[in-house]
């Protein structure tokens, strides 16, 4: 690994080139800054201290940046030895959350561990832990990926263990995200189509049944099909969100000029913050946010070409998917494409746990940017370049 | 694109799926921001736009000394949004019920009724109006305050404030609903009235309970602290906020003020978002109206009326007290009367301002017209004698029969005696001396046959036929006050002509208008309509009228020792329907029903107050079964006069000033 670094060091290049890692870091930084701005703007009309959200979020962002830096300096291959420990601790913590008086419940969902204001949403970190374990296991069992038991059912069991605990909180959104990311990793690792397709079908069936069996969830689910008609009932929040985008128009109402966050739009600071962006900053900024996430994804894809082994390939893919899928689900919910599901927008929504997780995820990507070196299989142009050199 | 850890097509499949999602999101955003914008904006505007009316405080009505006759109290209307009630507050409901004075069960019913079935036609109507409401107010078409009121009232869903129009009360049933019904045709109740008015200290206690969803709106309510006092003059503002009668109605332009409004936006909870306010027009409070009425005099008068009512049980009665030099009314009261604070319970008949809205035949009081006319024209002097025993007289070539006399006069009467002893034939002969045309002119000059200009109470002008329509007997009857009908106010102002030195003044009830800061914006001075006769004649007439209240006159009971009381009694037979020999119902002068009156002023040489007492049909309980002006009205005059002497500090006027005081006062007061 160090040999590749040496060869590049020989060239008289500027140290900070426009590599995928830098692009992702810049995008993540831009989104965080936008998040802080819009969070402050959305807090301006709060009765209590308008700085309360902003100050917490700034603290979160600084801690996340530190976490990002530390993660980018760790030796992932060393950490990999403790994959099962990390996974085990995560599962224990997830189980602790469910115990009354240990887990902190807000609005009927037990999701937090901690004391006082300092509390963390365990499931956020469990997502990364699951990806870590899964990448480790799949890399170990590369050759047995075709087998039903060791190549498919065991990894599915890992996913299931995490998702089931999260589902108990209940936090269906995060559980669904976990299952989706997990299955995608399985799929990329080479799981057979004949295993993957039935899994997708049965997961869909289980999800549908869960929804059907909980009447209020069903109502929430079906309400989004007729947003206008259910305005006073299930989709009030969503309709307010859609109205915010319309109110923003192309140019936006201007920072601090948004109205929807003043008691029209519930969860304006967290899950529905993108609607505030839509109203205050308009079409160009909302498209810009989507574009930034897309750029993160594309840059990540380009970066993946240099992955030295399956473990790191799957780990980075998992990190990318955790960022991008979560963004897609949140944006889809806020714009009324998906049924309403509590999920925060990476980098932008107020919330310490998510911000810290994003720090970890970006840190892992930067870590690999630092360690992966050049493309494993050079393209023709590159080889020609090298020949010429 | 990939290296060997995952097959290329799997990555491409997954990556393209995710990229398509991003592109889809972009398309959806364009859709929301641009394409669907118009449709969504309609909702946004409807949900945000609001106009809040700031109610102007209606001005006070004060008496001449600043005593409050009508005022606006600040009250809180307490209502509830049943949708935002919390279960944990339920324990506090009984306390709330107690504070609001509601039975707990009723309160529970209001709080738990969360939706209301609306019939589609009506709801379509209100929905339409609600839709028209906010959009109708655009900067281009700036509404007047009234328009705003209308919009505001109709789209009550926008703003939870008391309704000030009957329309609203009828349409809203004291609740306001969500704009759109749900699938079952039920509309959520967003506001239900709990109590129409609680005072501010009670409201503070209600708020201290901290029940979410219960809140209040400041309203002004009209209060009449003295209840029935001067009710016919003050009038009232009805429950719908419409000034219905009296000064409230007449001076509404000054009293009502101008409602202000705030145009802007509200937040999701319907509260005003002050930072997005686009226009703010402050309310300007109404002006206060100071009446010429004196609460104390009014009280004296009403006590007297009460006394009369108790003692004689008349059909109706009126007393007017004024300052004859300026025409300012100091008191005006009628029996029957009503309580302003409970106008809703009052008998409509009791709300009638008899003093200006009813007419009666004035009888002997009217004799002052013929006497003043004859004196002014030099046809008679106070000493000129008339034979009052003759029954017929030749006039313009024909023999006319003279009216009967109530007393027998064995010698020819001087003009002074005709007035003092109220001779019908004497008055008739003076009228004949003047001639029909001239006499008619004097009747007009005294203000009869036309409205006095008293602004409230639905004044009528009385009944006076022009000479061309008179029959042969009219000239013998009108000088004694028959064949003519006047209002008590006309008679009062007619007598005041004598007191004011010959000037016919307009009766004034409003003295001045002050703005909210207390500056006088308009002053109502003395308005002289015309000169009826000279000051000399007026002085002579005053002297003659003093004879009435002497022991030789008809009304010794009106005399106030030490004071020169001038006045004239009147006792008129009422025209009552009777069945004649042919079975037809005709109006006949009744022997059993009379209007007893005494109209006068004092001190005669320097008049300070004019008082009219007119009692209709007090015969049943009158001594001797006939209600004479001398027996019933004159003592009232005296009782009132004696109290006024103390209250107004009226001095005995033996040291008569050289010039008529009326004129002096006029010059000071005229504008």
């Amino acid at each position: 690994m160090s040999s590749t670094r040496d060869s590049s060091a020989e060239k008289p290049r500027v140290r900070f080139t426009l590599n995928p890692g830098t692009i992702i870091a810049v995008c993540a930084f831009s989104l965080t800054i936008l998040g802080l701005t819009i969070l402050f703007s959305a807090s301006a009309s709060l009765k209590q201290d308008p700085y309360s959200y902003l100050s917490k979020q700034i603290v979160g962002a600084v801690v996340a940046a530190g976490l990002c830096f530390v993660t980018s300096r760790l030796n992932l291959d060393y950490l990999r030895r403790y994959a099962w420990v990390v996974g085990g601790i995560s599962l224990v913590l997830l189980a602790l959350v469910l115990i009354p008086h240990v887990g902190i419940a807000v609005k009927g969902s037990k999701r937090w561990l901690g004391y006082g204001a300092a509390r963390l949403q365990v499931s956020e970190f469990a997502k990364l832990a699951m990806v870590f374990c899964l990448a480790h296991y799949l890399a170990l069992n590369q050759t047995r990926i075709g087998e039903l038991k060791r190549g498919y059912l065991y990894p599915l069991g890992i996913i299931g263990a995490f998702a089931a605990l999260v589902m108990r909180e209940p936090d269906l959104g995060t559980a669904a995200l976990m299952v989706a990311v997990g299955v995608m990793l399985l799929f990329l690792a080479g799981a057979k189509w004949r295993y993957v397709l039935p899994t997708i079908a049965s997961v869909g069936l289980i999800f549908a049944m869960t929804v059907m069996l909980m009447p209020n969830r069903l109502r929430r689910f079906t309400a989004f099909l007729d947003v206008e008609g259910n305005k006073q009932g299930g989709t009030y929040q969503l309709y307010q969100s859609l109205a915010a985008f319309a109110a923003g128009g192309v140019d936006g109402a201007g920072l601090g000029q948004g109205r929807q966050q003043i008691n029209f739009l519930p969860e304006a600071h967290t899950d529905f913050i993108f609607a505030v962006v839509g109203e205050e900053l308009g079409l160009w900024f909302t498209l810009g946010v989507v574009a930034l996430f897309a750029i993160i994804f594309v840059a990540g894809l380009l970066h993946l070409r240099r992955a030295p082994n399956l473990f790191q390939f799957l780990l980075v893919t998992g990190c990318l998917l955790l960022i991008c899928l979560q963004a897609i689900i949140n944006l889809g919910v806020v714009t009324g494409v998906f049924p309403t599901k509590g999920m925060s927008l990476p980098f932008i929504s107020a919330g310490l746990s998510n911000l810290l997780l994003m720090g970890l995820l970006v840190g892992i990507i930067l870590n690999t940017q630092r360690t992966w070196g050049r493309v494993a299989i050079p393209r023709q142009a590159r080889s020609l370049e090298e020949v010429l050199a | 694109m990939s290296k060997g850890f995952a097959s290329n097509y799997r990555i491409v499949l997954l990556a393209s799926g995710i990229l398509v999602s991003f592109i889809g999101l972009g398309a959806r955003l364009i859709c929301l921001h641009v394409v669907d914008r118009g449709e969504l904006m309609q909702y946004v505007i409807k949900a945000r736009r609001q106009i809040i009316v700031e109610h102007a405080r209606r001005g006070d009505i004060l008496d001449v000394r600043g005593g409050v006759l009508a005022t606006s109290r600040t009250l809180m209307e307490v209502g509830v949004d049943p949708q935002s009630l919390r279960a944990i507050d339920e324990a506090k409901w009984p306390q709330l019920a107690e504070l609001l004075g509601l039975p707990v069960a009723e309160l529970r019913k209001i709080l738990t009724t969360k939706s209301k079935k609306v019939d589609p036609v009506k709801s379509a109507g209100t929905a339409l109006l609600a839709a028209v409401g906010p959009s109708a107010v655009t900067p281009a078409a700036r509404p007047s305050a009234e328009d705003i009121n209308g919009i505001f009232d109709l789209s009550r869903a926008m703003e939870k404030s008391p309704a000030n129009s009957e329309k609203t009360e009828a349409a809203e049933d004291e609740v306001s609903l969500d704009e759109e019904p749900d699938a079952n045709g039920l509309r959520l109740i967003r506001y239900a009235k709990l109590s129409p008015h609680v005072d501010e200290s009670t409201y503070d206690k209600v708020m201290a309970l901290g029940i979410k969803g219960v809140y209040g709106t400041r309203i002004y309510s009209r209060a009449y602290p003295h209840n029935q006092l001067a009710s016919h003059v003050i009038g009232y503002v009805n429950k719908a906020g419409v000034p219905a009668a009296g000064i409230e109605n007449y001076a509404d332009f000054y009293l009502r003020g101008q409602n202000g409004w705030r145009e802007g936006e509200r937040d999701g909870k319907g509260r005003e978002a002050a930072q997005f306010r686009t226009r703010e027009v402050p309310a300007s409070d109404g002006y206060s109206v100071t009446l010429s009425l004196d609460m104390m005099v009014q009280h004296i008068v009403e006590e007297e009326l009460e006394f009369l009512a108790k003692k004689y049980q008349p059909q109706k009665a009126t007393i007017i007290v004024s300052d004859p030099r300026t025409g300012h009314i100091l008191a005006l009261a009628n029996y029957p009367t009503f309580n302003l604070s409970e106008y809703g319970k009052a008998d409509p008949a009791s709300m009638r301002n008899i003093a200006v809205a009813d007419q009666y035949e004035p009888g002997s009081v009217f004799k002052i017209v013929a006497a003043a006319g004859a004196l002014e024209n030099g046809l008679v002097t106070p000493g000129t004698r008339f034979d009052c025993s003759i029954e017929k007289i030749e006039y313009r070539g024909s023999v006319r029969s003279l009216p009967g006399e109530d007393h027998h006069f064995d010698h020819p009467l001087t003009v002074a005696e005709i007035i003092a002893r109220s001779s019908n034939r004497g008055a008739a002969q003076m009228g004949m001396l003047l001639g029909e045309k001239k006499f008619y002119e004097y009747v007009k000059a005294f203000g009869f046959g036309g409205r006095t200009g008293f602004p409230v109470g639905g004044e009528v002008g009385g009944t006076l036929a022009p000479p061309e329509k008179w029959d042969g007997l009219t000239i013998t009857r009108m000088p004694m006050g028959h064949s003519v009908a006047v209002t008590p106010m006309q008679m009062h102002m007619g007598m005041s002509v004598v007191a004011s030195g010959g000037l016919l003044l307009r009766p004034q009830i409003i003295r001045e208008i002050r703005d909210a800061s207390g500056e006088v914006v308009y002053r109502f001075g003395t308005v002289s309509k015309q000169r009826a006769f000279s000051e000399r004649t007026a002085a002579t007439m005053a002297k003659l009228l003093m004879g009435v209240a002497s022991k030789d006159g008809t009304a010794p009971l009106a005399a106030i020792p030490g004071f020169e009381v001038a006045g004239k009694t009147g006792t008129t037979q009422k025209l009552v329907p009777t069945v004649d020999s042919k079975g037809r119902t005709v109006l006949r002068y009744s022997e059993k029903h009379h209007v007893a009156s005494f109209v006068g002023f004092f001190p005669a040489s320097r008049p300070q107050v004019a008082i009219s007492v007119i009692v209709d049909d007090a015969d049943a309980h009158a001594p001797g079964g006939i209600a004479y002006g001398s027996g019933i009205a004159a003592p009232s005059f005296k009782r009132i006069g004696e109290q006024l002497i103390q209250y107004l500090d009226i001095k005995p006027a033996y040291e008569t000033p050289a010039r008529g005081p009326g004129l002096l006062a006029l010059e000071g007061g005229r504008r």
Side-chain angles (χ1 to χ4, degrees):
Chain A
M1 205 169 279
S2 58
S3 63
T4 54
R5 282 180 62 80
D6 291 342
S7 66
S8 64
E10 284 165 14
K11 293 176 188 171
R13 281 208 198 155
V14 188
R15 192 166 160 75
F16 292 103
T17 50
L18 196 65
N19 57 47
T22 316
I23 292 172
I24 289 173
V26 167
C27 287
F29 183 73
S30 310
L31 286 170
T32 308
I33 294 299
L34 177 71
L36 290 173
T37 313
I38 215 72
L39 197 60
F40 186 44
S41 182
S43 311
S45 56
L46 280 184
K47 261 203 198 125
Q48 64 268 36
D49 181 17
Y51 296 96
S52 62
Y53 275 105
L54 183 72
S55 46
K56 271 188 215 158
Q57 188 79 347
I58 287 176
V59 169
V62 170
V63 175
L67 213 54
C68 176
F69 178 78
V70 171
T71 315
S72 68
R73 295 284 143 181
L74 292 175
N75 186 340
L76 290 177
D77 289 318
Y78 176 77
L79 264 184
R80 190 180 166 186
R81 293 182 208 165
Y82 300 99
W84 297 122
V85 178
V86 170
I89 291 172
S90 297
L91 285 174
V92 168
L93 287 178
L94 277 178
L96 271 182
V97 164
L98 297 179
I99 299 169
H101 305 299
V102 178
I104 302 167
V106 175
K107 290 181 195 163
S109 294
K110 293 190 281 289
R111 297 182 186 175
W112 289 268
L113 276 184
Y115 184 78
R119 57 193 186 189
L120 293 173
Q121 206 171 333
V122 180
S123 57
E124 291 294 316
F125 304 98
K127 287 191 280 195
L128 179 58
M130 184 204 76
V131 167
F132 200 70
C133 290
L134 203 59
H136 173 64
Y137 179 85
L138 289 174
L140 272 181
N141 296 286
Q142 259 185 92
T143 51
R144 285 189 279 263
I145 194 74
E147 291 174 20
L148 175 63
K149 236 163 82 180
R150 304 188 74 169
Y152 197 70
L153 289 181
Y154 284 5
L156 218 56
I158 297 172
I159 300 170
F162 281 94
L165 282 172
V166 172
M167 215 158 172
R168 289 284 296 166
E169 288 183 356
D171 186 353
L172 280 188
T174 305
L177 180 70
M178 282 176 154
V179 172
V181 171
V183 172
M184 281 180 185
L185 290 184
L186 260 175
F187 174 70
L188 286 177
K192 295 266 185 267
W193 274 107
R194 64 171 186 271
Y195 302 149
V196 173
L197 285 181
T199 310
I200 294 172
S202 55
V203 165
L205 201 70
I206 290 168
F207 191 75
M209 276 171 65
T210 322
V211 165
M212 294 287 189
L213 289 175
M214 300 184 188
N216 65 326
R217 283 189 197 285
L218 179 65
R219 212 177 304 125
R220 266 170 77 179
F221 191 83
T222 51
F224 103 102
L225 300 172
D226 177 18
V227 175
E228 182 110 39
N230 291 298
K231 202 160 47 187
Q232 295 307 339
T235 64
Y236 172 79
Q237 188 174 1
L238 180 54
Y239 197 79
Q240 295 302 336
S241 171
L242 301 188
F245 290 102
V250 176
D251 298 324
L255 273 178
Q257 298 294 308
R259 274 76 153 166
Q260 288 300 97
Q261 64 262 35
I262 321 174
N263 295 328
F264 282 111
L265 191 60
E267 314 288 344
H269 296 92
T270 53
D271 295 353
F272 278 83
I273 196 162
F274 190 57
V276 180
V277 177
E279 185 180 12
E280 298 204 341
L281 299 173
L283 176 66
W284 302 123
F285 275 84
T286 53
L287 283 183
V289 169
V290 174
L292 283 176
F293 280 112
I295 289 170
I296 289 177
F297 184 67
V298 172
L301 278 184
L302 294 175
H303 176 54
L304 278 174
R305 288 184 301 136
R306 299 188 297 181
N309 55 46
L310 185 62
F311 167 70
Q312 298 213 356
F313 173 83
L314 288 177
L315 183 63
V316 172
T317 310
C319 292
L320 267 185
L321 287 176
L322 281 180
I323 296 174
C324 293
L325 270 188
Q326 192 176 335
I328 287 170
I329 292 173
N330 177 279
L331 298 182
V333 164
V334 174
T335 54
V337 181
F338 300 144
T340 304
K341 201 81 236 84
M343 190 164 291
S344 52
L345 183 59
F347 306 110
I348 295 182
S349 286
L352 186 60
S353 307
N354 194 258
L355 211 52
L356 295 185
L357 173 70
M358 289 305 141
L360 286 172
L361 297 180
V362 175
I364 288 172
I365 294 171
L366 291 180
N367 183 315
T368 55
Q369 174 69 39
R370 191 172 57 83
T371 55
W372 283 0
R374 69 168 66 177
V375 178
I377 303 172
R379 278 184 295 180
Q380 289 304 310
R382 175 64 64 88
S383 60
L384 185 67
E385 194 181 277
E386 277 171 1
V387 169
L388 289 175
Chain B
M1 203 168 180
S2 149
K3 63 170 284 192
F5 302 116
S7 63
N8 232 333
Y9 83 95
R10 290 195 177 209
I11 291 182
V12 170
L13 199 67
L14 205 65
S16 35
I18 285 173
L19 285 175
V20 164
S21 301
F22 279 124
I23 291 166
L25 282 173
R28 173 68 176 161
L29 283 172
I30 291 172
C31 204
L32 286 175
H33 276 295
V34 183
V35 183
D36 287 347
R37 183 161 194 239
E39 198 184 321
L40 285 165
M41 278 310 275
Q42 281 180 4
Y43 163 78
V44 170
I45 289 170
K46 202 159 122 187
R48 290 179 180 176
R49 193 71 193 252
Q50 76 169 1
I51 292 171
I52 298 174
V53 172
E54 271 185 65
H55 290 276
R57 184 185 181 279
R58 190 175 175 82
D60 293 342
I61 299 177
L62 309 170
D63 86 335
V64 70
R65 283 162 210 266
V68 177
L69 294 169
T71 188
S72 293
R73 274 184 302 168
T74 311
L75 292 173
M76 303 303 291
E77 181 187 297
V78 179
V80 64
D81 176 1
Q83 311 304 324
S84 37
L85 288 171
R86 294 175 301 196
I88 49 163
D89 288 332
E90 199 169 330
K92 300 174 189 161
W93 289 5
Q95 281 171 275
L96 178 67
E98 194 182 330
L99 282 171
L100 296 176
L102 274 174
V104 178
E106 195 178 318
L107 179 84
R108 188 171 295 275
K109 193 178 156 227
I110 298 174
L111 295 180
T112 50
T113 309
K114 304 231 170 188
S115 59
K116 188 181 177 203
K117 188 118 185 153
V118 189
D119 72 271
V121 181
K122 190 174 152 191
S123 80
T126 49
L128 179 70
L129 288 168
V132 165
S135 56
V137 186
T138 57
R142 186 191 298 209
S144 71
E146 284 79 2
D147 289 342
I148 295 220
N149 255 329
I151 289 162
F152 163 71
D153 281 338
L154 292 171
S155 52
R156 257 280 289 283
M158 288 168 48
E159 166 63 17
K160 292 93 179 182
S161 182
N164 264 3
S165 99
E166 281 173 315
K167 263 184 277 177
T168 314
E169 274 179 87
E172 302 276 352
D173 282 340
E174 308 203 330
V175 294
S176 79
L177 309 167
D178 249 350
E179 277 148 20
E180 283 168 37
D182 70 3
N184 305 322
L186 291 171
R187 295 207 290 172
L188 294 178
I189 294 175
R190 301 304 304 214
Y191 179 80
K193 197 191 281 183
L194 290 177
S195 170
H197 45 71
V198 297
D199 59 56
E200 295 208 44
S201 63
T202 311
Y203 178 72
D204 289 343
K205 286 181 202 153
V206 170
M207 285 295 104
L209 289 178
I211 300 175
K212 193 168 178 247
V214 173
Y215 59 95
T217 321
R218 190 173 302 266
I219 55 167
Y220 290 115
S221 124
R222 204 61 172 157
Y224 303 98
H226 297 286
N227 297 323
Q228 96 297 333
L229 194 79
S231 55
H232 294 106
V233 173
I234 297 166
Y236 57 91
V237 176
N238 70 18
K239 287 204 174 68
V242 178
I247 291 294
E248 292 276 28
N249 176 280
Y250 173 71
D252 183 49
F253 176 77
Y254 298 106
L255 288 168
R256 69 169 174 241
Q258 179 98 22
N259 281 353
W261 74 92
R262 300 196 300 274
E263 265 179 80
E265 296 187 13
R266 59 200 162 125
D267 67 16
K269 288 185 180 161
R271 287 188 293 237
E272 186 189 15
Q275 66 270 43
F276 301 125
R277 199 178 286 167
T278 50
R279 179 179 290 128
E280 185 173 13
V281 180
S284 44
D285 288 345
Y287 292 177
S288 69
V289 170
T290 304
L291 301 183
S292 61
L293 222 60
D294 189 311
M295 219 191 285
M296 203 55 216
V297 181
Q298 181 74 23
H299 178 68
I300 291 168
V301 163
E302 291 194 15
E303 276 203 323
E304 179 61 31
L305 269 178
E306 212 171 299
F307 170 78
L308 286 176
K310 213 173 206 173
K311 189 163 179 191
Y312 298 113
Q313 294 169 20
Q315 190 186 333
K316 52 192 182 183
T318 294
I319 299 178
I320 304 169
V321 178
S322 75
D323 182 340
R325 299 163 295 182
T326 60
H328 280 130
I329 306 293
L330 298 178
L332 186 158
N334 300 300
Y335 167 85
T337 186
F338 68 105
N339 183 349
L340 286 174
S341 304
E342 294 174 341
Y343 66 85
K345 295 181 193 161
D347 174 11
S350 68
M351 294 189 181
R352 198 172 168 82
N353 192 349
I354 296 158
V356 292
D358 280 12
Q359 36 182 321
Y360 71 109
E361 291 204 341
S364 304
V365 185
F366 208 70
K367 287 170 184 162
I368 60 171
V369 179
L375 283 169
E376 175 75 0
N377 282 279
L379 300 173
V380 296
T381 62
T384 308
R385 288 183 183 273
F386 290 92
D387 183 355
C388 298
S389 57
I390 51 169
E391 289 180 4
K392 289 185 182 348
I393 194 166
E394 195 185 315
Y395 177 70
R396 296 202 174 161
S398 63
V399 176
R400 317 277 170 105
S401 71
L402 288 172
E405 292 279 17
D406 300 327
H407 312 281
H408 178 69
F409 304 113
D410 50 0
H411 62 90
L413 300 177
T414 63
V415 170
E417 283 171 320
I418 289 172
I419 296 295
R421 300 174 69 175
S422 198
S423 162
N424 294 343
R425 289 173 184 167
Q429 288 178 63
M430 283 195 281
M432 286 168 162
L433 271 183
L434 274 169
E436 283 157 336
K437 216 169 155 200
K438 208 133 205 177
F439 175 65
Y440 179 75
E441 274 171 27
Y442 275 97
V443 173
K444 294 290 278 184
F446 269 84
F448 300 111
R451 293 193 178 105
T452 62
F454 191 73
V456 304
E459 194 188 13
V460 296
T463 310
L464 174 65
E468 306 84 66
K469 296 192 175 167
W470 291 2
D471 62 21
L473 283 181
T474 307
I475 188 62
T476 66
R477 298 299 190 272
M478 200 184 280
M480 57 172 276
H482 283 216
S483 305
V484 59
V486 305
T487 64
M489 182 59 78
Q490 279 179 322
M491 198 61 248
H492 183 84
M493 294 317 288
M495 181 59 80
S496 298
V497 172
V498 179
S500 70
L503 287 173
L504 176 64
L505 304 179
R506 181 198 290 189
Q508 299 280 21
I509 186 67
I510 300 177
R511 206 170 178 99
E512 58 200 16
I513 311 272
R514 288 168 186 270
D515 66 17
S517 60
E519 287 294 313
V520 175
V521 291
Y522 196 82
R523 213 186 286 275
F524 289 82
T526 300
V527 178
S528 167
K529 300 212 280 194
Q530 68 181 99
R531 176 163 283 283
F533 44 78
S534 67
E535 263 184 81
R536 228 182 108 235
T537 306
T540 312
M541 277 303 296
K543 284 226 172 62
L544 296 185
L545 289 170
M546 278 169 66
V548 175
S550 71
K551 67 177 192 302
D552 296 326
T554 52
L557 294 177
I560 303 169
F563 287 84
E564 308 167 332
V565 171
K568 184 72 195 80
T569 52
T571 308
T572 328
Q573 294 175 326
K574 287 186 73 180
L575 281 168
V576 292
T578 43
V579 182
D580 71 358
S581 52
K582 289 174 186 167
R584 289 175 302 187
T585 305
V586 291
L587 285 175
R588 284 269 168 81
Y589 284 108
S590 164
E591 300 283 327
K592 292 177 188 162
H593 302 282
H594 294 81
V595 177
S597 58
F598 187 90
V599 183
F601 56 90
F602 75 95
S605 53
R606 189 161 50 85
Q608 274 179 270
V609 286
I611 305 170
S612 299
V613 180
I614 293 151
V615 184
D616 189 329
D617 205 351
D619 297 62
H621 297 80
I626 297 176
Y628 287 109
S630 53
I632 291 175
S636 271
F637 177 95
K638 183 190 177 184
R639 283 191 290 270
I640 295 168
E642 281 174 338
Q643 291 181 74
L644 293 184
I645 286 167
Q646 292 188 8
Y647 179 64
L648 298 174
D649 196 20
I650 299 171
K651 300 274 188 295
Y654 292 121
E655 60 284 9
T656 317
R659 231 175 138 210
L663 205 65
L664 277 175
L666 273 182
E667 279 162 5
R670 207 179 325 185
R671 289 168 64 95

